[in-house]
């Protein structure tokens, strides 16, 4: 839940590039052939119509019943790893690696945010914290 909510608000990708190969109609919108479009998943991840008025709050419990229920079975509501045949091949690896790293850290330390931390996510190629993330680690074991 924590990983999904982090990817919703601060996923590294802020858009998927696609080329329109033939004219298509999307509702009232007609997309001509041979244009490049940017599908901004970050905008959909911050859409209050999908996520509610507290869209900007970090609330991992949104995902307590899984992605499908949280998004009301709308695959286009949450796609931090992209969508379709060119979606991220590293998705399972990335999620597993994150779980392993987090569980190794949390077995040894408690983590709190440093008072020096300034919240400022910025799109610099990928979304990243402009001033870094300063945390305070406290060992859970006396001998560590
Ligand atoms: C949190 C970590 C990651 C995120 C959020 C992420 C996200 C994405 C996104 C949004 C795309 C574009 C998908 C599309 O256009 O529909 C992508 C493509 C790709 N990702 Fe990742 N990725 C992550 C980690 C990784 C890792 C660890 C690997 C490799 C081990 C990887 C390998 C790739 C490759 C090869 C593509 C291109 C796939 C293609 O064009 O067919 N990614 N990723």
């Amino acid at each position: 839940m924590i990983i999904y909510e982090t990817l919703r608000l601060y996923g590294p990708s802020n858009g998927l590039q696609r080329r329109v190969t033939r004219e298509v109609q999307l509702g009232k919108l007609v997309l001509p052939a041979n244009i490049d479009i940017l599908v901004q998943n970050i905008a959909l991840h911050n859409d209050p119509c999908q996520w509610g008025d507290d869209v900007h709050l970090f609330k991992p419990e949104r995902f307590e019943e899984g992605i499908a229920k949280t998004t009301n079975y709308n695959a286009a509501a949450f796609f931090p790893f992209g969508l379709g045949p060119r979606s991220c091949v590293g998705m399972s690896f990335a999620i597993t690696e994150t779980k392993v790293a987090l569980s190794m850290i949390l077995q040894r330390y408690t983590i709190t945010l440093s008072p020096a931390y300034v919240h400022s996510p910025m799109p610099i190629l990928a979304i990243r914290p402009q001033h870094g993330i300063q945390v305070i680690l406290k060992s859970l074991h006396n001998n560590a």
Side-chain angles (χ1 to χ4, degrees), residues 78-91:
F78 178 68
F79 50 104
F81 293 97
L83 208 56
R86 302 309 296 260
S87 65
C88 180
V89 291
M91 178 176 81

Side-chain angles (χ1 to χ4, degrees), residues 38-116:
L38 185 68
V39 183
Q40 284 207 293
N41 52 358
I42 195 170
L44 295 160
H45 293 175
N46 284 276
D47 181 359
C49 299
Q50 173 70 39
W51 302 97
D53 289 339
D54 60 359
V55 62
H56 299 304
L57 288 186
F58 184 80
K59 265 180 66 180
E61 61 271 27
R62 293 178 204 280
F63 288 96
E64 67 192 353
E65 294 192 78
I67 294 175
K69 275 204 170 170
T70 301
T71 56
N72 212 7
Y73 300 91
N74 176 4
F78 178 68
F79 50 104
F81 293 97
L83 208 56
R86 302 309 296 260
S87 65
C88 180
V89 291
M91 178 176 81
S92 299
F93 175 78
I95 290 183
T96 306
E97 187 185 32
T98 308
K99 286 179 181 170
V100 170
L102 273 179
S103 59
M104 287 178 78
I105 295 168
L106 292 173
Q107 280 173 48
R108 293 166 177 80
Y109 301 98
T110 60
I111 308 179
T112 44
L113 263 185
S114 159

